Amino acid sequence: MTESPVHPALWPAPRASEAVDATVTVPGSKSVTNRGLVLAALAAEPGWLRRPLRSRDTLLMAEALRATGVGIEEGVGPDGSGEAWRIIPAGLHGPATVDVGNAGTVMRFLPPVAALADGPIRFDGDPRSYERPLGAVIEALRTLGARIDDDGRGALPLTVHGVGALDGGPVSIDASSSSQFVSALLLSAPRFNQGVEVRHTGATLPSLPHILMTVDMLRAVGAQVDSPESGGEPNVWRVAPSAMLGRDLTVEPDLSNAQPFLAAALITGGRVTIPDWPEHTTQPGDALREIFTAMGGSYELNELGLTFTGTGTVRGIDVDLSDVGELTPGIAAVAALADSESVLRGVAHLRLHETDRLAALTKEINGLGGDVTETEDGLRIRPRRLHGGIFHTYEDHRMATAGAIIGLAVKDVQIENVGTTAKTLPDFPRMWTGMLGA
């Protein structure tokens, strides 16, 4: 641990004194938890969500649904097998106010749900949420028959004036800024009178695995979805109107949140096991197996989970991360410790995430002595000897974990507001020091 004086807002990132050797149980997937909550809330019968993630983003989603009349009971599953939420659908209604925090899934997935409610639902959130792209979802919902008051901003805050139903039908949307625009319309579509036909008109579509996740989860609750990967028209998704079934869903571990722990094995030449890593999944974090192998490690996937092993040598990488952009901060942190140059491509949309992640990574890594430059669609990272300093997080959970990764190999790195990791990974500091045996 660093010996530097500690400011109350700063967390001394532990430096690894030896190769890590740990098993780290990662909480459930935020993406699966929040999609599961929406689908269960719109179902025709109650359902169970087992092993849900309890984090700021998922609790905001649960509270928002409760505010519109959905019953969500937290406890243990019917067989006593661990934490589970019982979701009891009800007639959605306002008036209600939804706090989205800075959660993209809440601010984008719930306006279509609100359009199905009877009464006004107001959406508000953190100051940064006002700057995040939402206009395409607002205009798409208006095309589908919704009445939304946003004072012409195309952003939060806004009010959806629901009348208990939505016509639905065909709509075009440019989802180049976020795949969540497409998922937002698909998740509620079975409840639209005409279902929906969503046509993506943009030149690029980031984070495609998240749309595949949405489609798979819709089909699991009985929805009929025609999609490009199943032989449908490119960039077009069609969902037929139907009732959705209440299901008993077990949430997978959040594979993206496993990233810093796998990075620790890679950087220290150690070994980390993540239990319950699924053999098949639509989670973008599954790509870490191949990306970190290309950067110098190796993995074994078996019934115990995923075990990742590093050699202590970290290689640079030239990689297109357009489908897995959320992994960029952690990969950039590892690349800053590599023995050769890295180029991270296809992630221009990260300028519109919790913060401008490309600018933030450039500033913070360079502030520790690094050599990072922004490109049109990503980052170029040249290895340099790093030194200690303050790593600012911009209230972005993945910036905080990126700083912790660098701190494993660099003395006296201090993370500003490490508590922002509670957005998706509660108790990260304890998990991190526990991995290191502290």
Side-chain angles (χ1 to χ4, degrees):
M1 298 283 283
T2 179
E3 298 296 325
S4 301
V6 179
H7 184 279
L10 301 179
W11 179 67
R15 189 178 183 196
S17 58
E18 58 187 6
V20 302
D21 187 357
T23 296
V24 180
T25 300
V26 176
S29 163
K30 177 198 74 172
S31 298
V32 174
T33 298
N34 275 355
R35 283 166 173 77
L37 281 169
V38 171
L39 293 173
L42 296 175
E45 56 195 354
W48 287 95
L49 197 61
R50 298 175 186 264
R51 294 177 59 181
L53 173 66
R54 288 184 58 89
S55 72
R56 187 183 187 216
D57 280 17
T58 61
L59 294 176
L60 285 168
M61 180 69 84
E63 284 305 310
L65 292 169
R66 286 188 180 112
T68 64
V70 177
I72 301 177
E73 301 172 352
E74 301 182 37
V76 297
D79 56 1
S81 58
E83 183 172 11
W85 293 351
R86 177 76 160 164
I87 297 95
I88 304 167
L92 302 171
H93 61 80
T97 298
V98 168
D99 176 11
V100 309
N102 192 19
T105 51
V106 182
M107 73 178 68
R108 291 163 182 154
F109 292 178
L110 288 190
V113 175
L116 298 169
D118 185 5
I121 310 292
R122 176 174 169 78
F123 290 81
D124 208 339
D126 297 352
R128 171 62 181 171
S129 71
Y130 294 6
E131 303 170 14
R132 299 187 66 183
L134 190 59
V137 174
I138 295 170
E139 289 308 313
L141 286 173
R142 285 176 174 149
T143 298
L144 297 173
R147 179 185 160 210
I148 301 174
D149 178 12
D150 66 342
D151 292 332
R153 286 182 301 269
L156 292 173
L158 60 84
T159 299
V160 179
H161 297 274
V163 295
L166 194 66
D167 290 341
V171 65
S172 296
I173 190 168
D174 183 349
S176 301
S177 301
S178 174
S179 67
Q180 289 177 356
F181 294 178
V182 174
S183 289
L185 300 175
L186 299 183
L187 286 167
S188 296
R191 290 281 302 273
F192 299 168
N193 294 337
Q194 302 172 43
V196 79
E197 176 189 281
V198 179
R199 185 177 299 272
H200 166 58
T201 59
T204 61
L205 185 58
S207 303
L208 183 60
H210 276 128
I211 298 179
L212 300 179
M213 177 187 295
T214 297
V215 170
D216 280 359
M217 293 184 69
L218 276 163
R219 288 173 176 155
V221 298
Q224 298 177 357
V225 186
D226 179 47
S227 60
E229 83 283 352
S230 57
E233 187 177 349
N235 290 327
V236 177
W237 295 262
R238 296 181 178 90
V239 181
S242 68
M244 288 187 277
L245 307 174
R247 291 298 198 196
D248 188 332
L249 172 67
T250 298
V251 178
E252 297 174 351
D254 193 315
L255 306 188
S256 294
N257 278 341
Q259 181 180 40
F261 305 101
L262 300 181
L266 179 59
I267 290 166
T268 69
R271 178 176 61 187
V272 169
T273 297
I274 309 292
D276 302 319
W277 193 288
E279 185 176 357
H280 302 288
T281 180
T282 54
Q283 287 193 60
D286 194 45
L288 288 167
R289 293 191 284 162
E290 303 302 334
I291 293 171
F292 279 170
T293 294
M295 297 186 81
S298 62
Y299 73 88
E300 179 183 3
L301 180 62
N302 56 34
E303 66 279 1
L304 298 178
L306 179 79
T307 297
F308 193 86
T309 305
T311 62
T313 298
V314 182
R315 297 194 294 264
I317 191 171
D318 187 328
V319 61
D320 184 338
L321 299 175
S322 55
D323 281 348
V324 293
E326 66 193 50
L327 304 180
T328 302
I331 294 170
V334 173
L337 302 170
D339 62 5
S340 57
E341 180 177 286
S342 293
V343 180
L344 312 185
R345 308 178 185 275
V347 287
H349 61 285
L350 294 190
R351 295 186 171 99
L352 302 170
H353 273 222
E354 280 83 343
T355 187
D356 179 342
R357 284 180 171 164
L358 300 185
L361 286 164
T362 300
K363 183 175 187 297
E364 297 310 312
I365 295 174
N366 288 350
L368 302 181
D371 183 3
V372 182
T373 54
E374 285 192 58
T375 64
E376 182 179 355
D377 71 338
L379 299 172
R380 183 178 301 275
I381 303 169
R382 300 176 179 87
R384 287 179 60 177
R385 184 176 181 85
L386 303 182
H387 56 71
I390 297 174
F391 195 94
H392 298 90
T393 62
Y394 309 87
E395 298 185 7
D396 184 334
H397 56 134
R398 301 208 191 278
M399 286 296 296
T401 53
I405 290 169
I406 293 173
L408 287 172
V410 179
K411 185 180 180 182
D412 293 339
V413 173
Q414 298 185 81
I415 312 299
E416 174 260 339
N417 189 19
V418 74
T420 194
T421 53
K423 178 180 172 70
T424 59
L425 193 55
D427 213 11
F428 169 75
R430 182 194 60 79
M431 294 176 67
W432 195 245
T433 54
M435 173 193 68
L436 296 172

